[in-house]
Amino acid sequence: MPSSIIVRPIMRQDYDQWLPLWDGYNAFYGRAGETALSGEITAMTWSRFFDAYEPVHALVAESDGQLLGLVHYLFHRSTTAIAPNCYLQDLFTTEASRGKGIGRALMEGVYERAQTAGSGRVYWLTHETNHTAMKLYDKVGERSGFVVYRKLF
């Protein structure tokens, strides 16, 4: 990882650099063109980062004034613990910065904030075909063995 990487909370002035990262993340998961998220969802996601009543947060990785990656995470209650759980929802880096430790640094930033918040765990999901990311995830976490089911409305 380059020594000049800073992982920090997102700021309002980051929007113009955050948006292409957010769009890239969504495109990776097939949400582009006709299947893209609505502008309303993007606007709401962005606004939640700056609302003290929302449990949704964002960190960015920056080098020389350029954003190289993002991570979004949220805290939520659980029936099996008193402390909040931390769900790492979105992680994305620019293609040029992949393999340079940016993703790991962003995840470690979430780990630090989760520990500060008293959370007992950080967890995340990825698609079963995301083998590149899974190489990192296998180093920084453990597979839970759970299978995710869903019903869309």
Side-chain angles (χ1 to χ4, degrees), residues 48-124:
R48 286 176 173 159
F49 301 145
F50 305 101
D51 184 339
Y53 292 102
E54 287 284 349
V56 182
H57 308 278
L59 301 174
V60 291
E62 177 183 23
S63 179
D64 298 324
Q66 295 298 311
L67 298 189
L68 303 177
L70 61 75
V71 65
H72 303 149
Y73 61 100
L74 58 99
F75 293 103
H76 68 85
R77 301 282 182 221
S78 169
T79 60
T80 60
I82 294 172
N85 285 318
C86 181
Y87 176 53
L88 190 159
Q89 188 165 12
D90 312 315
L91 176 67
F92 186 77
T93 64
T94 62
E95 191 169 340
S97 65
R98 292 186 188 142
K100 297 180 180 174
I102 306 298
R104 180 187 293 256
L106 286 163
M107 293 181 83
E108 288 174 357
V110 173
Y111 294 168
E112 291 171 13
R113 281 147 182 91
Q115 287 178 320
T116 299
S119 181
R121 76 175 186 156
V122 174
Y123 72 101
W124 60 95

Side-chain angles (χ1 to χ4, degrees), residues 6-12 14 50 58-60 62 73 113:
I6 298 169
V7 173
R8 62 167 175 78
I10 200 159
M11 298 182 292
R12 290 187 188 276
D14 292 329
F50 305 101
L59 301 174
V60 291
E62 177 183 23
Y73 61 100
R113 281 147 182 91

Side-chain angles (χ1 to χ4, degrees), residues 100-150:
K100 297 180 180 174
I102 306 298
R104 180 187 293 256
L106 286 163
M107 293 181 83
E108 288 174 357
V110 173
Y111 294 168
E112 291 171 13
R113 281 147 182 91
Q115 287 178 320
T116 299
S119 181
R121 76 175 186 156
V122 174
Y123 72 101
W124 60 95
L125 307 171
T126 194
H127 196 272
E128 63 188 10
T129 61
N130 194 357
H131 300 290
T132 301
M134 290 167 69
K135 289 177 187 174
L136 169 62
Y137 300 160
D138 287 340
K139 293 175 186 172
V140 299
E142 63 182 54
R143 292 187 193 202
S144 68
F146 281 87
V147 176
V148 175
Y149 290 85
R150 70 180 184 184

